[in-house]
């Protein structure tokens, strides 16, 4: 019996060596120089979802998508020509299983064509799907895709990384609820249920590892059990900038994590945190780009976008062009800090009058526009209330000041563009400011 050396510590018989190979947790294949599969072992049956009898004797290219065959043949040809080399950096290929599903694998290969006991290329496969989905989520994040889309890809990467049936990411925890969530392979009816392990993890800031059978919520327990979930691992994400978030991993058995899971959890949590922080920064930048930093209203750019959309959609549209009265005197006599305080208070008052859907924007120092969907009568009523609340005295640093608000109103005409509507509203505003006894004027 041929014996295999073990580095000077003894020999193993062929049977023992075969047992070691067959119990490896990675797929092992041997292919002849023409690509015919001559050995199928390790975890190949589990990962490729096929038996040895179904695979041995077939050509390896049968398990590759057509667009990858030419590249794979070239790689095998390189190995045959340079038998002593082997593939130092494993290439990544999609493997098409017999049932039509695809698994991405990094493939290492060692040429043993001259060894009479092997007479082929030994190939070992390492799962690549987790990295594939992580890469996809990162690309989606950098492309500025919506957060739910990015997290949807990321949750799949998390599930595959843990070899789990499903995963979820809950984020923006505040006042007992999450602002958003995404999941892959996790029952929809589970996600929003209060009192779940992910709620506990967000509240306590500590991981929660729960067996489904021990959960107190019967609906969650029932839904999880029906989906084949027996355990739930909830990992909190605590960040100085973000509201708490939680990465949840579903398990098909109730055991708690072991040491080997630590590095996987750490890696996945870093991706989740990166995604949430990057998304929050993007939202903040987008907000700053479209809003006035002092009052929080939309700025000129945001207003113009809303005006263009309103005119394109057709429906009744009315524009109010507003300008504060006596505001320059406030700045000159009390300083710009006092003027800023008046602006902030004015916006707060105006918002108490505006209706849902009315769009308020600050487009200049003391100039505001308001976009209304409706007719002139309704717009005039809104303008009356705006001038009323603006005319009440302001208290600034112990000093009472009185300003006011002049308003020009213009209703959009069929086919009228944004510039023409703005000009008519602006003209109505200045008509109102030129007449001391009125504060509102309607464009003809």
């Amino acid at each position: 019996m041929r014996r295999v050396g073990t580095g000077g510590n003894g020999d193993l018989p062929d049977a023992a060596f075969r047992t070691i190979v067959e119990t490896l947790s990675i797929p092992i294949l041997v292919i002849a120089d023409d690509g015919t599969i001559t050995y199928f072992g390790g975890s190949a049956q589990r990962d490729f979802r096929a038996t040895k009898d179904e695979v041995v004797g077939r050509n390896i290219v049968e398990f590759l998508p057509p667009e990858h065959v030419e590249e794979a043949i070239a790689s095998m040809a390189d190995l045959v020509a340079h038998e002593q080399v082997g593939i130092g950096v494993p290439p990544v290929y999609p493997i098409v299983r017999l049932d039509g599903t695809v698994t991405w694998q990094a493939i290492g290969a060692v040429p043993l064509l001259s060894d009479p006991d092997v007479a082929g290329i030994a190939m070992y496969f390492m799962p690549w799907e987790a990295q594939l989905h992580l890469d996809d989520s990162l690309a989606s994040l950098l492309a500025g895709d919506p957060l739910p889309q990015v997290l949807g890809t990321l949750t799949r990467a998390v599930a595959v990384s843990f070899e789990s049936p499903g995963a979820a990411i809950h984020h923006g925890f505040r006042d007992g609820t999450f602002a958003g969530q995404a999941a892959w392979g996790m029952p929809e009816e589970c996600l929003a249920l209060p009192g779940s392990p992910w709620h506990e993890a967000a509240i306590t800031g500590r991981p929660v590892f729960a067996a489904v059978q021990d959960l107190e919520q019967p609906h969650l327990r029932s839904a999880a059990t029906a989906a084949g979930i027996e355990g739930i691992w909830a990992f909190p994400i605590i960040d100085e900038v973000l509201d708490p978030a939680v990465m949840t991993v579903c398990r098909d058995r109730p055991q708690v994590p072991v040491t080997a899971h630590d590095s996987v959890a750490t890696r996945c949590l870093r991706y989740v945190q990166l995604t949430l922080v990057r998304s929050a920064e993007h939202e903040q930048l987008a907000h700053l780009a479209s809003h006035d930093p002092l009052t929080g209203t939309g700025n000129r750019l945001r207003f113009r976008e809303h005006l263009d959309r309103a005119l394109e959609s057709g429906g009744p549209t009315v524009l109010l062009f507003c300008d504060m009265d006596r505001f320059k005197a406030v700045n000159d006599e009390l300083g710009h800090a006092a003027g800023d305080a008046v602006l902030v208070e004015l916006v707060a008052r105006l918002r108490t009058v505006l209706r849902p859907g009315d769009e308020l924007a600050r487009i200049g120092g003391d100039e505001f526009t308001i976009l209304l969907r409706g007719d002139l009568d309704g717009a005039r009523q809104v303008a009356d209330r705006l001038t009323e609340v603006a005319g009440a005295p302001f208290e600034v640093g112990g000093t009472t000041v009185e300003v006011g608000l002049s308003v020009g109103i213009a209703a959009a005409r069929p086919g009228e563009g944004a510039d023409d509507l703005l000009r008519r509203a602006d003209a109505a505003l200045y008509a109102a400011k030129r007449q001391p006894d009125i504060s509102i004027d309607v464009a003809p």
Side-chain angles (χ1 to χ4, degrees):
M1 176 181 292
R2 189 171 74 87
R3 309 179 78 81
V4 180
T6 58
N9 295 323
D11 292 330
L12 288 175
D14 287 350
F17 184 73
R18 180 178 291 274
T19 298
I20 293 173
V21 173
E22 291 292 347
T23 56
L24 287 174
S25 60
I26 61 173
I28 301 291
L29 274 68
V30 175
I31 64 171
D33 58 1
D34 64 354
T36 301
I37 300 171
T38 59
Y39 176 78
F40 188 74
S43 64
Q45 181 166 324
R46 180 198 69 185
D47 292 354
F48 295 162
R49 302 177 187 172
T51 65
K52 184 178 299 185
D53 291 340
E54 291 176 311
V55 173
V56 171
R58 301 179 68 165
N59 197 288
I60 187 68
V61 298
E62 297 180 43
F63 298 90
L64 294 170
E67 63 270 20
H68 290 274
V69 169
E70 184 176 344
E71 179 186 351
I73 291 176
S75 295
M76 287 188 287
D78 288 341
L79 284 171
V80 173
H82 306 282
E83 185 177 337
Q84 74 280 9
V85 180
I87 299 179
V89 179
V92 177
Y93 288 103
I95 303 298
V96 182
R97 303 183 179 106
L98 293 179
D99 62 5
T101 59
V102 175
T103 174
W104 284 80
Q105 302 280 331
I107 306 174
V110 179
L112 299 170
L113 294 162
S114 61
D115 186 326
D117 294 315
V118 180
I121 301 171
M123 308 180 75
Y124 55 93
F125 295 73
M126 295 165 289
W128 190 256
E129 282 193 67
Q131 186 61 51
L132 172 71
H133 298 309
L134 287 173
D135 290 348
D136 285 347
S137 68
L138 184 58
S140 182
L141 177 66
L142 295 177
D145 291 336
L147 182 59
Q149 180 177 333
V150 180
L151 291 181
T153 304
L154 187 52
T155 53
R156 182 171 185 178
V158 171
V160 174
S161 297
F162 280 93
E163 297 184 350
S164 296
I169 297 169
H170 294 76
H171 59 92
F173 187 76
R174 186 182 297 182
D175 299 328
T177 60
F178 290 97
Q181 60 197 18
W184 184 83
M186 190 169 179
E188 183 71 26
E189 55 268 29
C190 292
L191 297 177
L193 293 176
S196 57
W198 42 94
H199 279 85
E200 183 180 344
I203 292 170
T204 65
R206 296 190 298 271
V208 176
F209 309 125
V212 168
Q213 62 184 6
D214 297 330
L215 296 176
E216 296 180 359
Q217 300 80 15
H219 296 296
L220 177 58
R221 188 169 61 244
S222 175
T225 300
I229 300 170
E230 296 188 16
I232 295 176
W233 299 347
F235 300 91
I237 302 166
I238 307 300
D239 185 274
E240 294 180 357
V241 177
L242 302 171
D243 289 329
V246 178
M247 179 183 76
T248 300
V249 179
C250 302
R251 303 294 292 172
D252 55 7
R253 54 189 63 133
Q255 285 81 2
V256 300
V258 296
T259 304
H261 292 114
D262 290 346
S263 60
V264 179
T266 299
R267 184 182 186 218
C268 290
L269 286 169
R270 285 175 179 167
Y271 269 85
V272 175
Q273 186 175 28
L274 169 66
T275 298
L276 295 177
V277 169
R278 175 71 168 72
S279 177
E281 291 173 345
H282 179 76
E283 288 183 1
Q284 183 179 23
L285 290 174
H287 181 84
L288 291 174
S290 61
H291 287 75
D292 172 48
L294 176 64
T295 62
T297 66
N299 60 14
R300 183 184 294 272
L301 175 63
R302 179 182 172 89
F303 162 73
R304 185 56 184 257
E305 290 175 349
H306 280 262
L307 177 59
D308 287 340
R309 284 201 297 268
L311 294 177
E312 289 173 2
S313 65
T317 300
V318 182
L319 174 62
L320 273 58
F321 211 133
C322 310
D323 183 79
M324 290 183 67
D325 303 324
R326 299 177 294 278
F327 180 70
K328 184 176 183 299
V330 176
N331 277 332
D332 292 344
E333 297 172 12
L334 301 178
H336 289 284
D340 288 349
V342 170
L343 286 170
V344 171
E345 173 63 22
L346 174 67
V347 167
R349 294 184 186 183
L350 298 183
R351 281 178 168 150
T352 65
V353 172
L354 297 179
R355 308 159 301 181
D358 294 344
E359 182 72 20
L360 172 65
R362 181 188 178 198
I363 62 169
D366 62 345
E367 291 184 330
F368 296 86
T369 54
I370 302 172
L371 185 62
L372 308 178
R373 304 308 297 265
D375 57 24
L376 272 176
D377 290 339
R380 182 60 190 254
Q381 293 175 13
V382 171
D384 286 338
R385 293 196 296 271
L386 293 173
T387 57
E388 181 181 354
V389 297
F394 290 78
E395 294 292 330
V396 182
T399 301
T400 300
V401 298
E402 293 187 3
V403 292
L405 192 70
S406 295
V407 182
I409 305 175
R413 298 166 175 167
E416 185 175 32
D419 291 334
D420 290 336
L421 180 60
L422 280 165
R423 277 195 292 269
R424 291 198 299 114
D426 190 35
L429 168 65
Y430 281 96
K433 292 186 75 70
R434 286 194 301 267
Q435 304 176 62
D437 56 334
I438 70 167
S439 58
I440 299 173
D441 189 84
V442 179

